[in-house]
Amino acid sequence: GGGTSEGSSRGGQIITIAGVAGGVGCTALAVNAAAILAQEARNSPVVIDLDMTLGDADVWLDIIPEHSIRDLADNMSRLDYGLLKRSLTRHESGVYLLPRPLEMEHADAIRPDDLRRILALLRATFSHLIVDTSKVFGRMDLAVMEVSDRILLITQLDLSCLRNVIRIMQFLEHFPAIRGKVEIVVNRVGLE
């Protein structure tokens, strides 16, 4: 549609980064893209670590968060900008991080509807939301993909990754709100 894409009129852009396998470089890409965006004063990027069990965006940013997305999930009834701000950790580069829950047993503490509300509030506050998803393409991942402006599917050029690209693209075809947004990115870093 001519300029009626969901989102552009509603504030920040949501860019979701999904990998076709572990270790293809999603978190590195998410963190580096946010850091590059933060170099421009008009930008305010936030990285959202949606790999609820094993996410490590905090490690990539070398920060030790005190709060996480769990704090928001536990307080949805009084979710506001102040609570949101307290749950974020700011990196010296200007990038903000909304980390995954600190304990693994809290990985399923948040529901897709809560996530959509959190994203809407972040979108009203930040210029770019860069979401690092899990590799399971579960309800949370799909919920964020549906409200994303762009979805970057990260792969490398080995056989198992390329097979996964085909499987994932076939799967995502079933979701009209996701279909047209997926771009395949080949990460060649570290490959000879």
Short mmCIF file of all heavy atoms in Angstrom, two decimals, residues 109-150:
data_model
loop_
_atom_site.label_atom_id
_atom_site.label_comp_id
_atom_site.label_asym_id
_atom_site.label_seq_id
_atom_site.Cartn_x
_atom_site.Cartn_y
_atom_site.Cartn_z
N ALA A 109 7.11 -15.85 31.41
CA ALA A 109 6.33 -14.97 32.28
C ALA A 109 5.56 -13.92 31.51
O ALA A 109 4.74 -13.21 32.08
CB ALA A 109 7.26 -14.29 33.29
N ILE A 110 5.82 -13.80 30.22
CA ILE A 110 5.21 -12.72 29.46
C ILE A 110 4.35 -13.28 28.33
O ILE A 110 4.71 -14.27 27.71
CB ILE A 110 6.30 -11.75 28.96
CG1 ILE A 110 5.71 -10.62 28.16
CG2 ILE A 110 7.37 -12.45 28.18
CD1 ILE A 110 6.66 -9.47 28.01
N ARG A 111 3.20 -12.65 28.10
CA ARG A 111 2.26 -13.12 27.08
C ARG A 111 2.34 -12.23 25.84
O ARG A 111 2.71 -11.06 25.94
CB ARG A 111 0.83 -13.09 27.64
CG ARG A 111 0.65 -13.93 28.89
CD ARG A 111 -0.83 -14.08 29.27
NE ARG A 111 -1.61 -12.85 29.11
CZ ARG A 111 -1.77 -11.94 30.08
NH1 ARG A 111 -1.19 -12.11 31.25
NH2 ARG A 111 -2.50 -10.86 29.87
N PRO A 112 1.95 -12.76 24.68
CA PRO A 112 2.00 -11.97 23.45
C PRO A 112 1.26 -10.63 23.55
O PRO A 112 1.74 -9.62 23.05
CB PRO A 112 1.35 -12.89 22.41
CG PRO A 112 1.68 -14.27 22.89
CD PRO A 112 1.61 -14.17 24.39
N ASP A 113 0.09 -10.61 24.25
CA ASP A 113 -0.64 -9.35 24.39
C ASP A 113 0.14 -8.33 25.19
O ASP A 113 0.14 -7.13 24.88
CB ASP A 113 -2.00 -9.59 25.06
CG ASP A 113 -3.02 -10.21 24.11
OD1 ASP A 113 -2.72 -10.24 22.88
OD2 ASP A 113 -4.08 -10.66 24.57
N ASP A 114 0.82 -8.80 26.26
CA ASP A 114 1.67 -7.91 27.04
C ASP A 114 2.79 -7.36 26.17
O ASP A 114 3.10 -6.17 26.21
CB ASP A 114 2.30 -8.66 28.23
CG ASP A 114 1.26 -9.15 29.23
OD1 ASP A 114 0.13 -8.63 29.21
OD2 ASP A 114 1.58 -10.06 30.01
N LEU A 115 3.37 -8.25 25.39
CA LEU A 115 4.48 -7.84 24.52
C LEU A 115 4.03 -6.76 23.54
O LEU A 115 4.73 -5.77 23.33
CB LEU A 115 5.03 -9.05 23.76
CG LEU A 115 6.16 -8.74 22.78
CD1 LEU A 115 7.38 -8.21 23.52
CD2 LEU A 115 6.53 -9.98 21.98
N ARG A 116 2.84 -6.92 22.97
CA ARG A 116 2.34 -5.92 22.02
C ARG A 116 2.18 -4.56 22.70
O ARG A 116 2.49 -3.53 22.11
CB ARG A 116 1.01 -6.39 21.42
CG ARG A 116 1.21 -7.39 20.28
CD ARG A 116 -0.10 -7.71 19.58
NE ARG A 116 -0.79 -8.81 20.22
CZ ARG A 116 -0.65 -10.10 19.84
NH1 ARG A 116 0.13 -10.42 18.84
NH2 ARG A 116 -1.30 -11.04 20.48
N ARG A 117 1.71 -4.56 23.96
CA ARG A 117 1.57 -3.28 24.69
C ARG A 117 2.93 -2.66 24.96
O ARG A 117 3.10 -1.45 24.85
CB ARG A 117 0.84 -3.51 26.02
CG ARG A 117 -0.67 -3.51 25.88
CD ARG A 117 -1.33 -3.55 27.24
NE ARG A 117 -1.05 -2.39 28.07
CZ ARG A 117 -1.20 -2.36 29.39
NH1 ARG A 117 -1.61 -3.43 30.04
NH2 ARG A 117 -0.92 -1.26 30.07
N ILE A 118 3.88 -3.50 25.36
CA ILE A 118 5.24 -3.00 25.63
C ILE A 118 5.84 -2.41 24.35
O ILE A 118 6.43 -1.32 24.37
CB ILE A 118 6.12 -4.14 26.19
CG1 ILE A 118 5.65 -4.52 27.60
CG2 ILE A 118 7.59 -3.74 26.20
CD1 ILE A 118 6.22 -5.84 28.12
N LEU A 119 5.67 -3.11 23.24
CA LEU A 119 6.20 -2.62 21.97
C LEU A 119 5.56 -1.30 21.56
O LEU A 119 6.23 -0.39 21.06
CB LEU A 119 6.00 -3.66 20.86
CG LEU A 119 6.84 -4.93 20.97
CD1 LEU A 119 6.37 -5.96 19.95
CD2 LEU A 119 8.32 -4.65 20.82
N ALA A 120 4.25 -1.17 21.79
CA ALA A 120 3.56 0.07 21.44
C ALA A 120 4.11 1.25 22.25
O ALA A 120 4.32 2.34 21.72
CB ALA A 120 2.05 -0.08 21.65
N LEU A 121 4.36 1.00 23.53
CA LEU A 121 4.91 2.06 24.39
C LEU A 121 6.34 2.41 23.97
O LEU A 121 6.71 3.59 23.89
CB LEU A 121 4.87 1.60 25.85
CG LEU A 121 5.01 2.66 26.94
CD1 LEU A 121 3.98 3.77 26.76
CD2 LEU A 121 4.84 2.02 28.31
N LEU A 122 7.14 1.39 23.67
CA LEU A 122 8.51 1.64 23.21
C LEU A 122 8.51 2.39 21.89
O LEU A 122 9.31 3.28 21.66
CB LEU A 122 9.26 0.31 23.06
CG LEU A 122 9.70 -0.39 24.34
CD1 LEU A 122 10.15 -1.81 24.04
CD2 LEU A 122 10.82 0.39 25.03
N ARG A 123 7.58 2.01 21.01
CA ARG A 123 7.51 2.63 19.69
C ARG A 123 7.19 4.12 19.79
O ARG A 123 7.62 4.92 18.97
CB ARG A 123 6.45 1.90 18.86
CG ARG A 123 6.27 2.44 17.49
CD ARG A 123 5.26 1.58 16.74
NE ARG A 123 5.90 1.03 15.58
CZ ARG A 123 5.38 0.10 14.79
NH1 ARG A 123 4.21 -0.41 15.08
NH2 ARG A 123 6.01 -0.32 13.74
N ALA A 124 6.41 4.48 20.81
CA ALA A 124 6.06 5.89 21.01
C ALA A 124 7.23 6.69 21.57
O ALA A 124 7.22 7.92 21.54
CB ALA A 124 4.86 5.99 21.94
N THR A 125 8.23 5.98 22.09
CA THR A 125 9.32 6.63 22.82
C THR A 125 10.65 6.61 22.06
O THR A 125 11.45 7.52 22.20
CB THR A 125 9.53 5.89 24.18
OG1 THR A 125 8.26 5.71 24.80
CG2 THR A 125 10.44 6.66 25.10
N PHE A 126 10.89 5.56 21.29
CA PHE A 126 12.19 5.37 20.64
C PHE A 126 12.06 5.41 19.13
O PHE A 126 11.00 5.10 18.57
CB PHE A 126 12.80 4.03 21.07
CG PHE A 126 13.23 4.01 22.51
CD1 PHE A 126 12.35 3.59 23.50
CD2 PHE A 126 14.49 4.44 22.88
CE1 PHE A 126 12.73 3.60 24.83
CE2 PHE A 126 14.88 4.46 24.21
CZ PHE A 126 14.00 4.03 25.19
N SER A 127 13.15 5.77 18.46
CA SER A 127 13.13 5.88 16.99
C SER A 127 13.19 4.50 16.33
O SER A 127 12.61 4.28 15.28
CB SER A 127 14.29 6.73 16.50
OG SER A 127 15.54 6.08 16.76
N HIS A 128 13.92 3.57 16.95
CA HIS A 128 14.11 2.23 16.36
C HIS A 128 14.04 1.18 17.46
O HIS A 128 14.73 1.30 18.48
CB HIS A 128 15.48 2.12 15.68
CG HIS A 128 15.64 3.06 14.52
ND1 HIS A 128 16.04 4.37 14.69
CD2 HIS A 128 15.48 2.87 13.19
CE1 HIS A 128 16.10 4.95 13.50
NE2 HIS A 128 15.77 4.09 12.58
N LEU A 129 13.21 0.18 17.24
CA LEU A 129 13.16 -0.98 18.12
C LEU A 129 13.78 -2.13 17.35
O LEU A 129 13.28 -2.52 16.29
CB LEU A 129 11.71 -1.35 18.46
CG LEU A 129 10.93 -0.50 19.47
CD1 LEU A 129 10.86 0.95 19.09
CD2 LEU A 129 9.53 -1.07 19.65
N ILE A 130 14.89 -2.63 17.86
CA ILE A 130 15.56 -3.74 17.18
C ILE A 130 15.38 -4.97 18.05
O ILE A 130 15.87 -5.03 19.17
CB ILE A 130 17.05 -3.40 16.93
CG1 ILE A 130 17.11 -2.15 16.05
CG2 ILE A 130 17.75 -4.58 16.28
CD1 ILE A 130 18.47 -1.64 15.78
N VAL A 131 14.62 -5.92 17.53
CA VAL A 131 14.21 -7.08 18.32
C VAL A 131 15.01 -8.30 17.90
O VAL A 131 15.02 -8.68 16.74
CB VAL A 131 12.70 -7.36 18.15
CG1 VAL A 131 12.27 -8.48 19.08
CG2 VAL A 131 11.88 -6.10 18.40
N ASP A 132 15.69 -8.89 18.87
CA ASP A 132 16.47 -10.11 18.66
C ASP A 132 15.60 -11.26 19.15
O ASP A 132 15.37 -11.39 20.35
CB ASP A 132 17.77 -10.00 19.47
CG ASP A 132 18.77 -11.10 19.17
OD1 ASP A 132 18.55 -11.86 18.20
OD2 ASP A 132 19.77 -11.19 19.89
N THR A 133 15.08 -12.07 18.22
CA THR A 133 14.12 -13.11 18.62
C THR A 133 14.81 -14.41 19.00
O THR A 133 16.02 -14.57 18.82
CB THR A 133 13.14 -13.43 17.47
OG1 THR A 133 13.88 -13.96 16.37
CG2 THR A 133 12.37 -12.21 17.03
N SER A 134 14.01 -15.34 19.49
CA SER A 134 14.53 -16.69 19.76
C SER A 134 14.58 -17.43 18.42
O SER A 134 14.18 -16.91 17.39
CB SER A 134 13.61 -17.43 20.73
OG SER A 134 12.46 -17.89 20.05
N LYS A 135 15.04 -18.67 18.46
CA LYS A 135 15.10 -19.45 17.22
C LYS A 135 13.92 -20.42 17.10
O LYS A 135 13.92 -21.30 16.27
CB LYS A 135 16.41 -20.28 17.17
CG LYS A 135 17.68 -19.46 17.36
CD LYS A 135 17.97 -18.57 16.17
CE LYS A 135 19.26 -17.80 16.33
NZ LYS A 135 19.21 -16.73 17.33
N VAL A 136 12.91 -20.24 17.96
CA VAL A 136 11.82 -21.22 17.96
C VAL A 136 10.63 -20.79 17.11
O VAL A 136 9.75 -21.59 16.83
CB VAL A 136 11.34 -21.57 19.39
CG1 VAL A 136 12.45 -22.19 20.19
CG2 VAL A 136 10.79 -20.34 20.09
N PHE A 137 10.59 -19.51 16.69
CA PHE A 137 9.46 -18.99 15.92
C PHE A 137 8.15 -19.32 16.62
O PHE A 137 7.20 -19.79 16.03
CB PHE A 137 9.49 -19.52 14.47
CG PHE A 137 10.64 -18.95 13.69
CD1 PHE A 137 11.91 -19.54 13.76
CD2 PHE A 137 10.49 -17.81 12.92
CE1 PHE A 137 12.99 -19.00 13.08
CE2 PHE A 137 11.57 -17.27 12.23
CZ PHE A 137 12.81 -17.86 12.31
N GLY A 138 8.15 -19.05 17.94
CA GLY A 138 6.98 -19.32 18.77
C GLY A 138 6.04 -18.13 18.80
O GLY A 138 6.18 -17.17 18.03
N ARG A 139 5.06 -18.17 19.73
CA ARG A 139 4.01 -17.15 19.78
C ARG A 139 4.58 -15.74 19.98
O ARG A 139 4.09 -14.78 19.38
CB ARG A 139 3.03 -17.47 20.90
CG ARG A 139 2.14 -18.67 20.58
CD ARG A 139 1.43 -19.20 21.82
NE ARG A 139 0.61 -18.19 22.48
CZ ARG A 139 0.65 -17.94 23.79
NH1 ARG A 139 1.47 -18.61 24.58
NH2 ARG A 139 -0.11 -17.02 24.32
N MET A 140 5.60 -15.62 20.83
CA MET A 140 6.19 -14.30 21.09
C MET A 140 6.89 -13.75 19.85
O MET A 140 6.75 -12.59 19.49
CB MET A 140 7.20 -14.39 22.23
CG MET A 140 6.62 -14.88 23.51
SD MET A 140 5.44 -13.70 24.19
CE MET A 140 6.58 -12.47 24.73
N ASP A 141 7.66 -14.62 19.20
CA ASP A 141 8.39 -14.21 17.99
C ASP A 141 7.41 -13.77 16.91
O ASP A 141 7.60 -12.74 16.25
CB ASP A 141 9.27 -15.36 17.48
CG ASP A 141 10.23 -15.87 18.54
OD1 ASP A 141 10.89 -15.03 19.19
OD2 ASP A 141 10.33 -17.09 18.72
N LEU A 142 6.34 -14.55 16.73
CA LEU A 142 5.35 -14.23 15.70
C LEU A 142 4.59 -12.95 16.04
O LEU A 142 4.30 -12.14 15.16
CB LEU A 142 4.39 -15.41 15.50
CG LEU A 142 5.04 -16.69 14.96
CD1 LEU A 142 4.06 -17.84 15.03
CD2 LEU A 142 5.56 -16.50 13.55
N ALA A 143 4.31 -12.74 17.33
CA ALA A 143 3.60 -11.52 17.75
C ALA A 143 4.40 -10.28 17.38
O ALA A 143 3.85 -9.29 16.89
CB ALA A 143 3.33 -11.55 19.26
N VAL A 144 5.71 -10.34 17.60
CA VAL A 144 6.53 -9.16 17.27
C VAL A 144 6.70 -9.02 15.76
O VAL A 144 6.70 -7.92 15.22
CB VAL A 144 7.89 -9.17 18.01
CG1 VAL A 144 8.85 -10.15 17.42
CG2 VAL A 144 8.52 -7.79 17.98
N MET A 145 6.80 -10.15 15.06
CA MET A 145 6.92 -10.07 13.60
C MET A 145 5.69 -9.42 12.98
O MET A 145 5.80 -8.68 12.01
CB MET A 145 7.14 -11.47 13.01
CG MET A 145 8.52 -12.02 13.26
SD MET A 145 8.69 -13.69 12.57
CE MET A 145 10.35 -14.08 13.11
N GLU A 146 4.52 -9.71 13.54
CA GLU A 146 3.29 -9.16 12.98
C GLU A 146 3.23 -7.64 13.08
O GLU A 146 2.64 -6.99 12.22
CB GLU A 146 2.07 -9.80 13.65
CG GLU A 146 1.88 -11.24 13.18
CD GLU A 146 0.70 -11.96 13.81
OE1 GLU A 146 0.19 -11.48 14.86
OE2 GLU A 146 0.29 -12.99 13.26
N VAL A 147 3.84 -7.06 14.10
CA VAL A 147 3.82 -5.59 14.23
C VAL A 147 5.10 -4.94 13.72
O VAL A 147 5.25 -3.73 13.80
CB VAL A 147 3.54 -5.15 15.70
CG1 VAL A 147 2.16 -5.61 16.14
CG2 VAL A 147 4.62 -5.65 16.64
N SER A 148 6.01 -5.74 13.19
CA SER A 148 7.28 -5.20 12.69
C SER A 148 7.11 -4.48 11.37
O SER A 148 6.21 -4.78 10.59
CB SER A 148 8.30 -6.33 12.49
OG SER A 148 8.64 -6.90 13.73
N ASP A 149 8.01 -3.54 11.13
CA ASP A 149 8.09 -2.89 9.82
C ASP A 149 8.94 -3.72 8.87
O ASP A 149 8.66 -3.80 7.68
CB ASP A 149 8.69 -1.49 9.96
CG ASP A 149 7.80 -0.60 10.82
OD1 ASP A 149 6.75 -0.18 10.32
OD2 ASP A 149 8.14 -0.36 12.00
N ARG A 150 10.00 -4.31 9.41
CA ARG A 150 10.90 -5.14 8.60
C ARG A 150 11.31 -6.34 9.44
O ARG A 150 11.49 -6.24 10.64
CB ARG A 150 12.16 -4.38 8.20
CG ARG A 150 11.91 -3.14 7.39
CD ARG A 150 13.19 -2.36 7.18
NE ARG A 150 14.08 -3.05 6.26
CZ ARG A 150 15.32 -2.62 5.99
NH1 ARG A 150 15.81 -1.55 6.58
NH2 ARG A 150 16.07 -3.28 5.12
#
